[in-house]
Amino acid sequence: MTLFHLNRATSKLKLENLEQGEYFRDLYPYKQISRIAFDDVLVAPRPAEPMFITDTTFRDGQQARPPYTVKQIETIYDMLYRLGGRSGLIRASEFFMYSDKDKRAIDACRSRGYKYPEITGWIRAHKDDLKIAKSMEFREVGMLTSVSDYHIYLKLGLDREKAMRNYLEVVEQALAWGISPRCHFEDITRADIHGFCLPFAEKLMELSRQSGLPVKIRMCDTMGYGVPYTGATLPRSVPRIVRAFTDEAGVPGDWLEWHGHNDFHKTLVNAVTAWLYGCGGANGTLLGFGERTGNSPIEALIIEYISLTGDDEAADTRVISEVGEYFEKELEYNVADNYPFVGRDFNATSAGIHVDGLAKNEEIYNVFDTTRLLNRPVPIIITDKSGRAGVAYWINQTLKLTGDSEVSKRHPAVGKVYNRILEAYEKGRSTSISNKEMERLVRRYMPEMFRTDFDNLKEVAHNLAAQIISELSFDCNVILAKENYRCLTEFVQQYPFIQYLYLTDNEGGLIASKITDMRFVEKYEELGIGFDFSSREWFKQPVQTGKLHITNLYTSHFTGQLILTVSAPVTDNDDNITGVIGADIMLEQLLQRECELEEKNNIEAFC
């Protein structure tokens, strides 16, 4: 490494404690669009070594959507590991730590044992919050240390000297407890860089030298005001902010992160600019989720990193497509069709590609081999020139049909869809057929290919019923031996949508039951104690497999209600099956209480 890269401080910095804040009204008039000024001061690029990515999907990203469940956080964390954690490109992932759910998620992800992404925390700059981080044995924790006078004077009601003193007290305590602080310089692009930010950073570097622990700095472009332009002035110039920290305050580049927002459509270019001028870390979220306009998309940072370094092995780019599918299917987030790398049509063009020409001209229009790098074949744009083969290709690709389930261009319904397309063009249409239009056409002529709303209701009912009966099976695992069936009564009181609850021995003989609605008591009289259920599928399956069983929906012979039957084995302490617990559950009443049941099972939901 040359002396050029030692980043030694070149001047002594001094805090300027103003009576009133500096709000840069020439740049931020508020009643007008913000201004970008230039002063012809140029700095040369000096790419960070190393460049890496840090993740805030579970912190800033959760501030823009309903909270993730613990299971969802585990799954996404695994994806981050496979995407770029293995190589250390995605170096860290940031977590809240306040709620019980936050703590369970942290424990679950820690149990994976991954070196990267390292699990780090986030707190407000208060000692009480720091105690939480200490109790959870965090090695690194981010602290909210706002640096603009908008925050210091107008929000916190402090001056610069008091704000710095408060921040430094918490940092000193963290270092005393062996925790490496990461100070989040909030609203840095509206801050006085030389009058507050750099003197503060210099103090942090001194504390680091004294403690022997790194003190990191995250430069937070909270409002998205940063610009990448050569010659732009502080505090908006990303290159000059980064170089001020490295060259004037002596902050090592790998202790710096850039955290940008996309208010002015510059979050990605600003993050990459920070890399190119010496900031090691680019902070982002999957799909750019974040408060207001969002953060730098991690998938875009991955592609840009590979473009800059040529390090194809640093990431498994195919995971990007998995992330998009997971957000759409599991989290019910609608990714825009033209969203780069993830949207269903990002690599499609209406400039002439159709199925017959795909093999010979894919490279003309495709950004790279998306099949190999993203596991995303080139989608087809449907026009009157697509032919029946194009329609079949669209159906198979969109519905992910393979092998024997693939639709042939000779399928009669394919012909009907294509004929409707031709009719539209004969009437003067000149634009391509959108995905939504294609889906409507295919739904009309091939409804069997799609899930119905009723299918979705059945899936919800199955999931909820499984949770309920599993709980009852566990609670009643030694009931048979004790001959105490009070748990059945208590259970139907808790879940009144259970029409009929029953317990058999391991031969199928009824030994206890509970009817929830007294109107139906007479109708159930034929099912007396000792009634033989051994031929029923709901009994045979749990006995044969030792697993929970759920029937399809059907109409109850006794009540006329639309119900499903869910059953599970009851076992003793040695896991021997001693009986079967079963419940007939009324669909309508079950779905009415869906939200309540989800909350009971620690699923984030609002009714």
Side-chain angles (χ1 to χ4, degrees):
M1 183 174 288
T2 67
L3 291 175
F4 186 63
H5 288 276
L6 288 179
N7 300 337
R8 289 173 175 155
T10 57
S11 63
K12 192 66 177 176
L13 302 165
K14 183 179 179 181
L15 174 70
E16 296 179 15
N17 195 37
L18 308 179
E19 289 187 10
Q20 295 182 332
E22 168 60 79
Y23 305 117
F24 301 97
R25 288 303 182 196
D26 55 332
L27 299 178
Y28 306 117
Y30 191 63
K31 293 185 182 298
Q32 298 167 295
I33 293 173
S34 56
R35 296 346 190 190
I36 301 171
F38 294 81
D39 61 6
D40 297 330
V41 175
L42 308 180
V43 293
R46 186 194 300 162
E49 179 59 46
M51 297 187 296
F52 54 88
I53 297 168
T54 60
D55 165 66
T56 186
T57 295
F58 308 125
R59 204 273 300 173
D60 203 338
Q62 273 199 114
Q63 296 178 176
R65 50 155 287 108
Y68 299 112
T69 67
V70 172
K71 182 62 178 175
Q72 289 167 348
I73 290 174
E74 284 183 90
T75 301
I76 294 170
Y77 182 69
D78 284 338
M79 289 181 177
L80 286 167
Y81 170 72
R82 292 190 296 110
L83 178 59
R86 284 193 180 103
S87 68
L89 174 55
I90 301 180
R91 184 170 291 190
S93 187
E94 180 180 35
F95 286 70
F96 283 122
M97 62 177 74
Y98 293 106
S99 71
D100 289 340
K101 190 201 78 174
D102 295 333
K103 295 172 183 176
R104 291 198 310 275
I106 290 167
D107 288 341
C109 292
R110 280 177 169 172
S111 70
R112 296 294 200 266
Y114 303 148
K115 182 178 181 181
Y116 300 115
E118 180 183 355
I119 295 171
T120 69
W122 181 91
I123 61 170
R124 297 158 296 195
H126 299 305
K127 288 185 178 180
D128 288 343
D129 287 18
L130 186 60
K131 290 177 182 177
I132 301 173
K134 180 175 183 287
S135 69
M136 298 186 67
E137 301 180 340
F138 272 98
R139 296 193 306 170
E140 178 183 321
V141 66
M143 300 176 179
L144 178 60
T145 54
S146 301
V147 292
S148 78
D149 289 347
Y150 288 86
H151 286 247
I152 293 171
Y153 288 81
L154 300 182
K155 179 181 177 182
L156 301 177
L158 303 174
D159 61 23
R160 294 178 180 180
E161 185 176 342
K162 291 177 182 176
M164 185 185 295
R165 188 186 316 126
N166 291 348
Y167 297 154
L168 290 173
E169 285 180 1
V170 184
V171 170
E172 289 171 350
Q173 184 62 76
L175 292 169
W177 285 343
I179 299 172
S180 180
R182 183 183 64 249
C183 295
H184 291 201
F185 279 39
E186 191 77 16
D187 204 23
I188 197 168
T189 48
R190 289 195 298 179
D192 188 338
I193 302 299
H194 286 91
F196 183 78
C197 294
L198 297 186
F200 181 27
E202 192 174 56
K203 292 282 189 184
L204 294 175
M205 294 304 98
E206 178 60 30
L207 290 176
S208 174
R209 286 188 288 272
Q210 293 171 5
S211 67
L213 290 174
V215 177
K216 301 179 181 180
I217 293 173
R218 178 177 291 177
M219 300 171 288
C220 301
D221 185 16
T222 307
M223 308 293 284
Y225 283 128
V227 295
Y229 310 136
T230 301
T233 63
L234 290 171
R236 296 194 69 175
S237 170
V238 176
R240 290 174 66 177
I241 291 173
V242 173
R243 293 293 289 279
F245 277 89
T246 58
D247 294 2
E248 298 184 57
V251 183
D254 60 351
W255 291 5
L256 285 174
E257 295 179 25
W258 181 265
H259 171 89
H261 282 254
N262 203 34
D263 299 67
F264 293 90
H265 291 287
K266 294 187 179 73
T267 183
L268 178 61
V269 69
N270 283 341
V272 175
T273 298
W275 266 344
L276 294 177
Y277 283 83
C279 174
N283 185 246
T285 58
L286 291 172
L287 303 186
F289 269 110
E291 58 179 334
R292 298 196 325 279
T293 57
N295 305 140
S296 301
I298 284 178
E299 64 279 2
L301 290 170
I302 291 280
I303 300 298
E304 199 71 10
Y305 175 88
I306 295 173
S307 296
L308 290 170
T309 65
D311 186 1
D312 295 304
E313 304 304 316
D316 183 352
T317 52
R318 295 169 299 179
V319 179
I320 292 172
S321 297
E322 292 183 38
V323 169
E325 291 178 4
Y326 185 79
F327 272 72
E328 286 201 311
K329 292 179 180 178
E330 173 68 22
L331 305 178
E332 298 180 349
Y333 174 71
N334 293 322
V335 178
D337 284 355
N338 63 346
Y339 186 85
F341 309 131
V342 180
R344 63 187 294 177
D345 283 345
F346 102 88
N347 57 336
T349 177
S350 57
I353 285 186
H354 49 78
V355 69
D356 295 326
L358 243 151
K360 64 183 179 183
N361 66 8
E362 173 185 321
E363 190 173 351
I364 297 173
Y365 296 105
N366 208 13
V367 292
F368 46 69
D369 187 344
T370 53
T371 301
R372 179 176 181 271
L373 297 176
L374 295 175
N375 197 24
R376 289 279 305 273
V378 180
I380 187 171
I381 297 296
I382 297 295
T383 68
D384 57 331
K385 306 298 190 300
S386 299
R388 292 173 64 131
V391 172
Y393 181 91
W394 186 96
I395 294 170
N396 291 326
Q397 185 189 69
T398 301
L399 301 183
K400 294 181 171 57
L401 304 178
T402 59
D404 293 339
S405 62
E406 281 190 347
V407 171
S408 165
K409 65 180 181 180
R410 299 179 182 85
H411 193 295
V414 170
K416 293 178 182 178
V417 171
Y418 185 56
N419 287 338
R420 290 297 306 274
I421 293 169
L422 290 178
E423 288 175 13
Y425 283 94
E426 288 170 359
K427 293 179 180 178
R429 179 168 183 143
S430 59
T431 58
S432 60
I433 307 296
S434 71
N435 286 314
K436 288 185 178 179
E437 290 174 309
M438 278 298 294
E439 184 174 321
R440 283 197 292 269
L441 281 172
V442 178
R443 277 185 181 274
R444 176 174 180 179
Y445 294 107
M446 307 178 78
E448 69 278 6
M449 295 289 184
F450 295 87
R451 286 173 60 90
T452 65
D453 290 340
F454 189 58
D455 292 327
N456 295 330
L457 285 177
K458 287 194 294 184
E459 182 176 349
V460 170
H462 277 218
N463 291 338
L464 295 175
Q467 295 167 8
I468 294 164
I469 205 66
S470 295
E471 177 184 341
L472 182 58
S473 175
F474 177 81
D475 290 344
C476 296
N477 65 347
V478 292
I479 289 301
L480 290 175
K482 295 182 178 179
E483 296 187 355
N484 177 5
Y485 310 123
R486 187 176 61 188
C487 71
L488 301 184
T489 302
E490 294 173 349
F491 210 76
V492 294
Q493 290 173 348
Q494 187 178 6
Y495 300 116
F497 45 77
I498 296 177
Q499 175 178 288
Y500 180 52
L501 186 63
Y502 36 95
L503 183 65
T504 76
D505 58 28
N506 59 4
E507 298 294 330
L510 182 66
I511 58 175
S513 65
K514 187 65 181 177
I515 303 167
T516 56
D517 193 327
M518 299 309 295
R519 293 176 300 168
F520 304 133
V521 171
E522 292 185 5
K523 295 184 178 181
Y524 278 102
E525 283 183 347
E526 64 183 77
L527 305 179
I529 301 301
F531 188 88
D532 184 8
F533 285 111
S534 61
S535 63
R536 305 293 175 90
E537 196 67 17
W538 60 259
F539 172 81
K540 291 191 294 184
Q541 285 296 320
V543 170
Q544 292 172 2
T545 66
K547 298 179 181 179
L548 177 139
H549 176 71
I550 304 176
T551 69
N552 290 323
L553 291 168
Y554 64 96
T555 301
S556 170
H557 168 72
F558 298 100
T559 67
Q561 296 275 347
L562 189 61
I563 66 172
L564 56 82
T565 294
V566 56
S567 55
V570 176
T571 59
D572 60 21
N573 291 332
D574 296 321
D575 291 328
N576 296 310
I577 296 176
T578 55
V580 172
I581 186 79
D584 295 345
I585 296 177
M586 295 177 282
L587 176 66
E588 182 178 356
Q589 288 85 339
L590 175 70
L591 295 175
Q592 287 173 353
R593 293 190 59 186
E594 174 187 357
C595 189
E596 176 186 339
L597 292 168
E598 287 179 335
E599 289 178 334
K600 184 178 187 300
N601 285 277
N602 297 315
I603 298 173
E604 298 291 340
F606 293 96
C607 291

